[in-house]
Amino acid sequence: MAMMTGKEYIESLRELRPDVYFMGERIPNVVDEPMFAPHINTAAMTYELAHDPDHAGIMTATSHLTGKTINRFTHIHHSIDDLVNKVRMMRLLGRKTGTCFQRCVGLDGLNALYVITYAMDAKLGTTYHKRFKDFLGFVQENDLMSAGAMTDARGDRSLRPHQQKNPDMYLHITERNDDGIIVNGAKLHITGVINSHQIIAMPTRAMVQEDRDFAVAFATPVDTKGIKLVFARQTNDMRRLDGSLDTGNPKYANVGGEALIIFKDVFIPWERVFMAGEYDFAGQLVEIFAGHHRANYGGCKVGLADVVTGASYWLADAHGVAKSSHILDKLTEMTSMAETCWSCSLACSYEGRKTPSGAYNINPLLASVTKLNITRMVYEWMRLAQDIAGGKIITLPSEDDLGAREMGDIITGYFAGKDGVDVKNILKMLRLVESMSVGAGLPEAMHGAGSPAAQKIIIARRSGIEDKSSLAETIVGIRRDETFEKIVGKSEKDYMDEAAEKLRSEKVKICRRVTT
Ligand code: SF4
Ligand code: FE
């Protein structure tokens, strides 16, 4: 099958029968459920733009397996250009949708598993990599959307997986047989899973030998027997049901659309199992996955910053204050912070390295710095967007009030801006800023790809603090400075002794001059 269009992707979801629940109800068909429509439209954008000649260079890639043109969301990065184009794709999609487009988690899962299955086979003589490549070929050929499922319930977080009173706090293998494995447990906060074709499950943390049954990775169709999906509530989600401008971003929603996945006695055939007990590779898998996802955030969230900065300027202009110095200052701050995060994202991509598998990995230190900046700066640029939007952002009447008999025109009049600007457009733009800056997108920027503490662990581990300490030691002469010795042509000690002697005699001369 060739790459799907947005429309074909939506239709392809009709063929699946996932067991989905929302607000206590079973949802028979995700495509026809109005609560899910904006999320599905957003994911569809990842398909549609691949057919747009203006964006095909970024949105598509050449499969290293088949040489065919594929959607970049199914590609294994095989060069620095691939890493850079991936984050360019993230920013582009953020700009087009103003929200999370969901498909990146599966992409990062594919790339992390590609590297890790190769590493496991090299060390242990297993055959996971070939198995994984078969799955990858299937994903590329059918242009599938995969939901990356990493975070477990984790119960008492001071305990390891095998120490939990309820073993289902971590997804785990409960049976192995000739045909495959049976798994039980859950994955939480899984972006885009209700409208994905496949689930790619991976461990959520580093593990020890006693945790081996919890060290499990696999892929399975979203409608596999025994899987239930419970869609999360979101800020102001009911607004979208009345189809009014109160929704803010009615076409694309304001967050990724997360769900709880429950696995009850789910059978996974060996062909789709990519880790089953190799506990000492779990931590490495998490780190590679998280690194890719952290790099993304300097793309997707910056795309959202472009939208909210544009909305802020539009609102300032509509109210006649676009040229005020304090507004210009705030817009400039927003742009500067967004471009700082973008620079980080580019840097961790340009500083990427080839792994033994042939796939490229980002620079993990810089990717964690990217994401740590995001956890702070998204709040800061959204704060400025709220500042520019003014009090109207929290006091707007509903669209129903604007259309109400007798009162409608009166109310509308009081929300006018400068002459010639349609009040309805002002309200639309205010609602967009409200949905982007008040909604679940903020904590998503905080916790997606790991909380700030997780980024700080990587930053601390890779900060090279010992090296930095030896730099200081070399400069003050605690450590030998060979480069300096080459420059001056003598040992550092001789140089310093001579310099001290020269200074002493100079001082004597000056003293004599002063006293005579
Ligand atoms: Fe992709 Fe960003 Fe959403 Fe993560 S938060 S899935 S990187 S759009
Ligand atoms: Fe996310």
Side-chain angles (χ1 to χ4, degrees):
M1 184 195 275
M3 292 185 298
M4 281 193 268
T5 62
K7 214 171 180 176
E8 285 165 345
Y9 155 69
I10 293 174
E11 285 311 305
S12 73
L13 297 177
R14 287 191 188 283
E15 291 158 27
L16 300 167
R17 287 280 170 271
D19 198 8
V20 180
Y21 296 81
F22 179 60
M23 295 195 67
E25 302 271 329
R26 186 167 184 282
I27 307 297
N29 189 327
V30 295
V31 178
D32 297 324
E33 169 53 50
M35 286 303 290
F36 302 163
H39 301 289
I40 295 176
N41 294 342
T42 316
M45 188 72 90
T46 70
Y47 285 89
E48 191 57 33
L49 288 190
H51 295 271
D52 183 334
D54 287 346
H55 304 303
I58 289 176
M59 294 295 306
T60 65
T62 303
S63 166
H64 75 291
L65 298 178
T66 62
K68 288 184 190 166
T69 301
I70 53 171
N71 190 302
R72 190 174 291 282
F73 277 98
T74 66
H75 183 53
I76 300 300
H77 319 302
H78 269 82
S79 64
I80 295 290
D81 273 356
D82 275 346
L83 294 174
V84 172
N85 279 333
K86 183 200 65 167
V87 293
R88 289 192 192 285
M89 173 171 81
M90 303 291 161
R91 186 165 184 177
L92 169 69
L93 282 156
R95 290 164 67 98
K96 292 280 185 190
T97 62
T99 188
C100 165
F101 33 90
Q102 312 148 37
R103 205 176 167 190
C104 340
V105 200
L107 167 63
D108 299 332
L110 290 175
N111 275 275
L113 279 166
Y114 191 88
V115 173
I116 284 296
T117 51
Y118 185 93
M120 283 194 291
D121 290 0
K123 188 169 173 201
L124 309 171
T126 46
T127 54
Y128 287 123
H129 194 60
K130 148 100 185 55
R131 220 184 253 180
F132 181 74
K133 282 207 293 193
D134 289 346
F135 171 67
L136 177 67
F138 167 71
V139 168
Q140 291 185 346
E141 186 58 29
N142 294 287
D143 200 7
L144 300 179
M145 173 162 163
S146 308
M150 180 163 272
T151 310
D152 291 278
R154 291 171 291 159
D156 180 342
R157 294 175 195 190
S158 69
L159 302 177
R160 292 195 164 279
H162 74 277
Q163 296 168 326
Q164 299 283 333
K165 198 163 151 197
N166 175 1
D168 287 351
M169 287 295 109
Y170 285 81
L171 182 66
H172 62 294
I173 302 170
T174 47
E175 193 184 317
R176 291 172 161 85
N177 58 42
D178 290 348
D179 301 323
I181 57 173
I182 310 263
V183 295
N184 278 276
K187 292 287 183 183
L188 273 63
H189 337 302
I190 305 308
T191 301
V193 63
I194 57 139
N195 47 295
S196 290
H197 304 101
Q198 293 275 322
I199 294 169
I200 298 176
M202 294 162 281
T204 198
R205 54 168 294 166
M207 300 204 181
V208 296
Q209 194 176 3
E210 293 88 334
D211 296 323
R212 60 190 172 281
D213 287 341
F214 300 85
V216 60
F218 58 83
T220 193
V222 72
D223 54 358
T224 304
K225 188 166 171 270
I227 292 181
K228 289 189 192 305
L229 309 175
V230 185
F231 193 71
R233 287 227 68 181
Q234 298 160 345
T235 322
N236 295 335
D237 52 6
M238 282 300 148
R239 287 191 190 181
R240 72 180 66 142
L241 290 185
D242 54 43
S244 69
L245 64 76
D246 300 353
T247 313
N249 187 351
K251 285 184 295 189
Y252 303 119
N254 64 355
V255 73
E258 278 70 28
L260 159 69
I261 311 178
I262 301 166
F263 296 84
K264 179 75 184 138
D265 294 328
V266 176
F267 169 71
I268 312 290
W270 284 116
E271 307 90 84
R272 291 290 187 257
V273 177
F274 311 127
M275 177 184 282
E278 292 77 9
Y279 59 90
D280 47 348
F281 285 86
Q284 216 181 319
L285 172 58
V286 175
E287 196 171 314
I288 296 172
F289 169 85
H292 278 304
H293 208 58
R294 286 169 194 169
N296 299 350
Y297 271 55
C300 72
K301 302 299 180 208
V302 171
L304 269 57
D306 294 336
V307 174
V308 84
T309 308
S312 302
Y313 172 75
W314 191 99
L315 282 167
D317 191 41
H319 291 90
V321 289
K323 300 276 181 285
S324 300
S325 61
H326 74 99
I327 296 287
L328 283 174
D329 185 63
K330 285 164 196 158
L331 292 169
T332 307
E333 277 292 320
M334 292 168 82
T335 303
S336 171
M337 284 185 287
E339 298 303 340
T340 299
C341 292
W342 175 236
S343 307
C344 290
S345 198
L346 286 176
C348 70
S349 306
Y350 277 114
E351 288 291 306
R353 291 276 180 278
K354 192 175 179 176
T355 67
S357 69
Y360 272 63
N361 193 15
I362 45 72
N363 177 300
L365 169 65
L366 298 183
S368 285
V369 170
T370 307
K371 172 68 206 319
L372 192 61
N373 275 334
I374 286 288
T375 64
R376 297 163 176 157
M377 290 187 183
V378 168
Y379 286 80
E380 191 56 22
W381 66 60
M382 290 303 184
R383 182 182 74 79
L384 291 169
Q386 290 179 355
D387 182 349
I388 294 172
K392 283 182 186 177
I393 193 180
I394 43 156
T395 60
L396 286 180
S398 74
E399 190 180 8
D400 286 349
D401 289 311
L402 305 184
R405 256 188 307 139
E406 295 171 24
M407 289 295 289
D409 286 348
I410 300 170
I411 296 169
T412 308
Y414 285 115
F415 286 91
K418 68 182 187 187
D419 258 5
V421 181
D422 186 334
V423 185
K424 209 160 183 179
N425 287 340
I426 292 180
L427 298 187
K428 275 186 189 172
M429 208 56 96
L430 284 164
R431 288 294 185 200
L432 176 65
V433 174
E434 180 196 28
S435 73
M436 292 183 77
S437 68
V438 177
L442 287 174
E444 203 286 327
M446 173 73 78
H447 293 292
S451 309
Q455 280 108 66
K456 285 188 180 172
I457 289 170
I458 299 294
I459 293 169
R461 202 188 291 156
R462 294 180 176 265
S463 67
I465 198 73
E466 297 289 338
D467 280 353
K468 287 172 186 167
S469 167
S470 56
L471 293 177
E473 286 178 344
T474 309
I475 285 173
V476 299
I478 296 173
R479 216 175 251 272
R480 191 173 163 201
D481 187 344
E482 290 174 18
T483 318
F484 182 79
E485 288 174 5
K486 278 186 196 147
I487 294 169
V488 300
K490 56 187 81 166
S491 80
E492 192 177 341
K493 182 171 181 316
D494 289 349
Y495 173 85
M496 293 302 284
D497 288 349
E498 283 171 27
E501 184 49 41
K502 263 191 215 155
L503 283 172
R504 246 192 313 274
S505 55
E506 199 59 33
K507 210 157 125 195
V508 171
K509 272 192 234 158
I510 292 169
C511 288
R512 278 204 196 111
R513 236 181 279 140
V514 171
T515 52
T516 52

